[in-house]
């Protein structure tokens, strides 16, 4: 089980993590929370679910490339010039969906932090994280968001095969981020396998 998720009887998954892995995962999840930004502001919308449903969000894509990757335009071809109508549709779609999407991503990252904080290290300093199906969904979402964010920072495109990542010399300052990217990918892959087996 060390280093990869395994299925649990009755649903869910488990993974053994050492203290360093727990610390890295927690730090990455907290950084993701900081990138996504704070939750909904207090006010009448916070108490009224209908008002929250119709609260308007931003209409422009984020300037930060990592946030733009987490919250892409819904219309038009990425990287291509959008016509006026596509921009208008993308702005309208974003206005009514981005707040909810941000909140879901925030809850996924918080779920990761809370589940890691609930671990009790054993004699060896590691612990076994056991996730219920809902926790697995949060972890899958957060792992995906972390990988997208790191890929953006490393300027890895959707079509990059990743071979160049394996060939980076140890002296390259991007190497720790690449290692985190690959490790998170392995965790994500084994979690999907554990849930589908």
């Amino acid at each position: 089980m060390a280093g990869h998720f395994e299925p649990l009887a009755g649903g869910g998954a488990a993974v053994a993590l050492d203290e360093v892995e727990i610390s890295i995962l927690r730090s990455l999840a907290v950084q993701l929370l900081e990138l996504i930004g704070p939750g909904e502001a207090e006010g009448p919308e916070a108490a009224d679910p209908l008002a929250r449903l119709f609260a308007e969000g931003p209409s422009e894509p984020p300037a930060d490339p990592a946030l733009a990757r987490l919250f892409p335009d819904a219309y038009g071809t990425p990287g291509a010039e959008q016509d006026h109508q596509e921009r208008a549709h993308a702005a309208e779609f974003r206005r009514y969906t981005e707040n909810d999407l941000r909140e879901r991503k925030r809850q996924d990252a918080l779920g990761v932090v809370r589940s890691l904080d609930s671990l009790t290290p054993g004699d060896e300093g590691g612990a076994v994280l056991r996730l219920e199906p809902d926790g697995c969904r949060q972890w899958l979402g957060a792992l995906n968001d972390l990988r997208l964010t790191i890929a953006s920072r490393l300027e890895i495109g959707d079509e990059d095969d990743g071979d160049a990542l394996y060939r980076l010399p140890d002296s390259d300052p991007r190497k720790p981020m690449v290692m985190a990217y690959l490790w998170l990918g392995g965790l994500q892959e084994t979690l999907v396998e554990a849930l589908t087996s």
Side-chain angles (χ1 to χ4, degrees):
M1 180 186 314
H4 64 274
F5 280 95
E6 292 185 4
L8 289 175
V15 63
L17 299 168
D18 65 31
E19 284 182 273
V20 172
E21 292 168 327
I22 293 167
S23 176
I24 292 170
L25 283 166
R26 190 181 191 290
S27 175
L28 289 171
V30 168
Q31 290 176 55
L32 180 61
L33 283 166
E34 291 170 356
L35 178 68
I36 293 169
E40 296 175 3
E42 295 298 320
E45 294 88 15
D48 182 359
L50 194 55
R52 272 198 321 268
L53 179 65
F54 291 105
E56 292 189 14
S59 59
E60 294 296 319
D64 183 312
L67 284 173
R69 193 117 180 228
L70 291 174
F71 306 105
D73 272 341
Y75 296 93
T77 307
E81 289 298 317
Q82 291 178 322
D83 65 28
H84 177 72
Q85 187 174 14
E86 286 176 329
R87 281 194 305 275
H89 289 310
E92 188 73 7
F93 186 81
R94 181 179 297 281
R95 183 175 294 121
Y96 292 107
T97 60
E98 187 170 314
N99 285 345
D100 286 340
L101 186 56
R102 277 184 186 266
E103 185 58 27
R104 190 192 54 138
K105 290 178 181 300
R106 191 177 296 108
Q107 290 305 314
D108 288 349
L110 277 171
V112 168
V113 171
R114 288 177 180 142
S115 63
L116 292 171
D117 286 350
S118 72
L119 292 176
T120 305
D123 296 337
E124 306 283 317
V128 175
L129 174 68
R130 288 179 176 77
L131 298 172
E132 297 293 324
D134 283 347
C136 291
R137 186 205 54 77
Q138 286 185 316
W139 268 73
L140 279 174
L143 288 170
N144 187 61
D145 291 342
L146 287 168
R147 292 192 77 234
L148 286 172
T149 301
I150 294 171
S152 174
R153 298 294 189 234
L154 291 171
E155 298 179 352
I156 299 170
D158 291 335
E159 283 134 31
D160 289 340
D161 61 8
D163 285 343
L165 298 178
Y166 291 103
R167 292 191 303 269
L168 278 179
D170 289 342
S171 60
D172 192 305
R174 298 171 297 167
K175 188 73 172 202
M177 265 203 312
V178 168
M179 298 305 294
Y181 176 78
L182 297 172
W183 176 54
L184 293 170
L187 285 174
Q188 185 178 26
E189 184 178 336
T190 61
L191 181 52
V192 168
E193 288 170 359
L195 295 174
T196 57
S197 63

